[in-house]
Amino acid sequence: MTQIKIQPNPFILPETAPFSSEQRAWLGGFFSALLDAPQDVNQSEENPANSPALADNSDAPWHDPSLNLSKRMQLAEKKPVALKLMAAMAQQDCGQCGYTCADYANALFLCKETRLNLCAPGGKDTFRQIRDLIKNHETGQENNPSSLGVFPKNPPELVTEVINALGANPKDLVLGKHLYEILLEEVALGLAPDSLFLLIGCVTGGTLRKKALALAEGLDPDGDASCLDVLSTIKKFGPLQVNPEAFIEALEALQPRLYSISSSIRANPGLVSLTVDTVRYEIDNQIRLGVASTYLGDRITPGEVIKVYTQPAHSFGLPTDPNIPIIMVGPGTGLAPFRAFLQEREATKAAGKNWLFFGHQRSAYDFFYKDEIEKLISTGIITELSLAWSRDGDEKNYVQDILRKEKVKVWNWLSEGAHFYVCGDAKRMAPDVERTLLEIIKEEEFLDDQKASNYLSDMKSSGRYQTDVY
């Protein structure tokens, strides 16, 4: 990231000048802006691509003093920081701050002005909005949670089984490291890659060779391709006489796993929470384990240092205006970012309504954060809670079914400008929820298919419909 910081060029009137302190401050700001104006509005001719996006009136639909702050911030939600700062101003170009609205925003963004309370017509509301925008810009958050990247390790027992199936020694050296260490931390032992099948095709013959090469081409000669992990592949084609280094080179790198952070850093400084559902299943008498989920759930101990990194969750965050209502649909571990949203709204005393749609299989076992959610209901942080349990009754009940039952109320919230969020399964849940929402828009607003689709598209482009799916 290129950081641009222009040193201020202050114009200070002497205290002996025949003006009050407020008038001196105003005139000082005015002449400072006048002297430095070309730097505010002109991009660098040498490197225009890396210049910051600054505010002006040419593309500012919020530059209308009749619009309230909430509406202005909504119009500027997808805009760069300088334009968001401009939207927070009173839009009167009254000059009381010594700038125009756009110039004051640019001066703040470029660190030429440090006083956040100069917009007199905007009052405290504008000051608070500017303060939050500056704070979020400085921390790189801008109301967005982050996805935490976790570097997992493979299950030790699986590593041992792979080494035994190969007939290798765990202390065999590969590129200066023990084979056991590399299999534990550096290579993936999940679904077998095509390169492993190619290697097996080189060290076997006859029918086995043909099958291995067919699998490398994406074919499925025995109908088991979708189940062949590294261990079961070795067993299927073994015993194999493979050089340990060649074997390692045929495997894919063990990649980090991304998890939505389920806590607010503002509410819990220094703490990051994840919501993890451990994955375990059995195929042909072999227990398969989710690498990262069981690493986090079973194999690390309190106080142990693990490798992680943070990644901003672009285009998935709370509205800039804390008064805007939000609808959150997050079954299962899809609840994670919404727990962070709710903690953030509680910590900032946001006035906007919050509606949570949550579901899982059984209420007795799968109601994540039940006590915490019930407390948020009792304190009014959660305005509405809708639950769906797919295994509690004779009929399966999913979040999209509850959405459909609540269609009138959902539409009322959307009509009030609510933002709509979906987090979780990308294959079935998220498309089903989107189809249901499209039906609600069509039925409640009496629109045809095309107009309903246009309405949803507008929600997406304006940031009112956001998804975090996997």
Side-chain angles (χ1 to χ4, degrees), residues 152-174:
K153 296 180 182 180
N154 286 309
E157 60 272 20
L158 175 60
V159 171
T160 298
E161 284 191 80
V162 168
I163 292 174
N164 290 339
L166 284 174
N169 188 315
K171 293 187 177 180
D172 285 341
L173 290 179
V174 177

Side-chain angles (χ1 to χ4, degrees), residues 24 117 155-156 166 189 216 225 370 383 412 417 425 432 439 460:
R24 285 199 304 274
N117 60 346
L166 284 174
L189 299 180
K370 180 180 178 181
T383 313
N412 288 339
D425 172 44
D432 286 347
E439 291 173 11
K460 291 179 179 179

Side-chain angles (χ1 to χ4, degrees), residues 329 398-401 403-404 422 425-439 465:
V329 182
Y398 298 108
V399 286
Q400 56 266 31
D401 299 318
L403 267 173
R404 193 173 292 109
V422 184
D425 172 44
K427 293 183 179 179
R428 288 183 293 182
M429 183 277 295
D432 286 347
V433 166
E434 181 166 324
R435 280 191 293 269
T436 301
L437 184 60
L438 196 59
E439 291 173 11
Y465 183 94

